Amino acid sequence: MHGDSTSIAVQDHVTPDSFRSAVGTFCTGLTVLSAMGSKGPVGFTCQAFSSLSLDPPRILVCPGRTSTTWPLIRAAGRFCVNVLAEDQTALSRLFARPGGDKYAGVGWSCPPGASPRLDGACSWFECAIEAEFDAGDHTVVAARVLALDTAEGRKPLLYHRGRYASLSESTDGPV
């Protein structure tokens, strides 16, 4: 029955641990947000990525408020969302660590006026920041998609219940 709150068991207190456990049942993909900063390329692993609008094309990303890289990307005004492929676990871990030269030994390209694109990604989205909203311990960023590309045949790197996961072949059709 919709609207009947008596049929829903409600916890008296939702803790960060109970919330993380419940949210962890939702499988997500992994991305690296990248930009050309004033001192060279910058980037970080971002799990909070979603499509927002088809017309015009917009996406959402949600960097943590403690991120030291997000202010560098914000200053650039644009960034690239690199959707990681299943064989890019090492890249996910590398860009998740603070500090250091994350691009050393990593294959990437950066066309003039664009943001760094990681080699081997499933897809990439070149985006311009349109709006930011305070959202607790994260910032919600709405961005317009300016360009994109997809690598056919690449499977995404997934994250489920605190672990990396792979996509198995499905026999069902599209949703």
Side-chain angles (χ1 to χ4, degrees):
M1 296 190 326
H2 292 94
D4 182 4
S5 63
T6 59
S7 65
I8 300 172
V10 178
Q11 283 186 311
D12 290 334
H13 181 68
V14 176
T15 66
D17 287 340
S18 68
F19 184 69
R20 179 173 297 139
S21 178
V23 169
T25 65
F26 183 71
C27 186
T28 65
L30 288 156
T31 70
V32 168
L33 302 189
S34 60
M36 192 52 73
S38 61
K39 297 180 182 177
V42 295
F44 67 93
T45 300
C46 182
Q47 183 183 354
F49 162 74
S50 178
S51 62
L52 175 62
S53 170
L54 292 175
D55 188 17
R58 288 192 171 101
I59 56 96
L60 286 177
V61 293
C62 301
R65 293 184 57 91
T66 60
S67 171
T68 57
T69 307
W70 175 247
L72 303 173
I73 293 174
R74 178 192 299 121
R78 62 189 302 153
F79 59 92
C80 185
V81 177
N82 297 274
V83 177
L84 298 181
E86 68 182 347
D87 61 352
Q88 294 182 309
T89 302
L91 277 182
S92 173
R93 288 187 173 124
L94 173 67
F95 280 88
R97 291 193 292 260
D101 181 3
K102 296 176 184 175
Y103 288 84
V106 172
W108 62 281
S109 62
C110 189
S115 303
R117 299 171 186 166
L118 301 179
D119 293 351
C122 287
S123 60
W124 56 262
F125 301 83
E126 180 75 24
C127 303
I129 299 169
E130 288 192 329
E132 288 188 41
F133 308 94
D134 179 24
D137 60 0
H138 281 69
T139 300
V140 176
V141 179
R144 183 151 191 168
V145 177
L146 305 172
L148 56 83
D149 198 11
T150 301
E152 294 299 321
R154 303 283 287 151
K155 292 182 183 177
L157 178 61
L158 304 177
Y159 202 69
H160 181 251
R161 294 190 181 235
R163 297 174 189 233
Y164 292 103
S166 295
L167 183 67
S168 65
E169 292 301 318
S170 173
T171 56
D172 295 338
V175 176

